[in-house]
Amino acid sequence: MSGFRRAPRERPDRPPVGYKIARPMLSADGTRLGFRGVSLGGDIVYGPLDDARCGYERRHRPPSRWCACGFYCLHDAGAAIELGCATEYRDTVLLEVAVLGAYLRHERGMRFERQRVRRVHFPRCACGRASEGVLDTGEGVMGWRAITGSCAACAGHRALLRFDAYTRLVGPESVTACDDRLAPPAPALAHTAALPLDPGKDGTDAVVPQLAAEAALLQARLDWFQLQLGKLTGQGEA
């Protein structure tokens, strides 16, 4: 009987890079940038450089193999862009992040302890022109205002925070704001809702992040069982 082998321990020369979608935020006093996730822990606002916190408020250090907590990212930017096309995620931005600290690698992405946001890709303005800065959307959570990209013409009399001023709020950490996604849709499609993953089942796309989190948790448990089996068969690491 052939036993399972534990995945080799990674020792990268530089932090791995991943991609994710998030809802951009601005602090109540206008001095700090923040982001909200789209699934587990979506009520938690994190900074450009931050540590993950357990969305279940359990007292352990993410990413735990027995919990779905931690930061998430995908290996492929295109996959993150596709997720952001779903109707309920059209208010998100695309983040390019550096994965820091401990992480668990899975088939499509990683779950990890700490991250640094390197680039923020805002979608085009609702009119189809390139965004030039950010506006208050009128929504938010305690202490934080939700923001969105806009061109100067559509901003009108409202205060437009230009991208250069937006990125200066991050302080010593480097964040680059861009006025478009890596693979932007045509302006004519700016308000078109994404098709469900399964056209025969309405609302399927709404549960994609939750299913991804559950799949990551199951994969983590499988990794642990494979490790234990490897030890029993003498093929695991000492």
Side-chain angles (χ1 to χ4, degrees):
M1 173 181 175
S2 59
F4 293 100
R5 291 184 180 275
R6 185 181 182 183
R9 185 181 299 275
E10 295 186 32
R11 295 181 175 84
D13 295 332
R14 62 188 64 183
V17 173
Y19 303 89
K20 64 195 298 181
I21 59 172
R23 293 185 168 93
M25 311 294 289
L26 188 66
S27 64
D29 61 4
T31 63
R32 290 176 294 148
L33 308 184
F35 305 94
R36 289 175 58 205
V38 297
S39 57
L40 176 65
D43 292 333
I44 299 175
V45 178
Y46 57 87
L49 175 63
D50 213 337
D51 296 304
R53 285 151 279 176
C54 180
Y56 298 111
E57 298 184 355
R58 296 169 181 163
R59 295 185 177 181
H60 58 232
R61 180 180 176 182
S64 169
R65 290 185 180 273
W66 298 102
C67 185
C69 64
F71 287 126
Y72 284 79
C73 74
L74 296 168
H75 296 311
D76 179 49
I81 292 172
E82 290 178 1
L83 181 59
C85 289
T87 304
E88 62 271 34
Y89 304 137
R90 296 302 288 266
D91 59 345
T92 61
V93 294
L94 176 70
L95 302 183
E96 177 185 314
V97 299
V99 175
L100 307 175
Y103 61 86
L104 300 173
R105 185 183 291 275
H106 302 291
E107 182 179 358
R108 298 188 63 194
M110 290 178 279
R111 182 161 60 94
F112 47 99
E113 174 186 16
R114 184 172 171 82
Q115 76 176 8
R116 183 195 307 276
V117 177
R118 296 173 37 164
R119 294 174 68 86
V120 186
H121 297 267
F122 282 84
R124 288 180 176 271
C125 179
C127 70
R129 289 188 287 260
S131 295
E132 299 174 64
V134 300
L135 288 176
D136 188 337
T137 67
E139 300 180 351
V141 297
M142 186 68 69
W144 295 87
R145 298 186 179 95
I147 55 177
T148 188
S150 174
C151 69
C154 289
H157 66 278
R158 294 176 294 171
L160 180 70
L161 181 64
R162 298 278 180 170
F163 283 137
D164 56 349
Y166 171 82
T167 56
R168 284 199 297 269
L169 295 178
V170 78
E173 307 302 333
S174 176
V175 169
T176 302
C178 305
D179 61 4
D180 216 339
R181 296 191 190 273
L182 295 181
L189 302 180
H191 299 286
T192 303
L195 295 176
L197 297 180
D198 182 353
K201 297 180 180 180
D202 293 337
T204 304
D205 54 340
V207 298
V208 169
Q210 288 82 358
L211 292 177
E214 293 297 330
L217 179 57
L218 290 174
Q219 181 63 51
R221 289 176 176 171
L222 178 60
D223 291 343
W224 185 87
F225 281 118
Q226 289 178 339
L227 171 61
Q228 302 308 310
L229 182 58
K231 289 180 178 180
L232 291 174
T233 59
Q235 298 185 32
E237 290 186 352

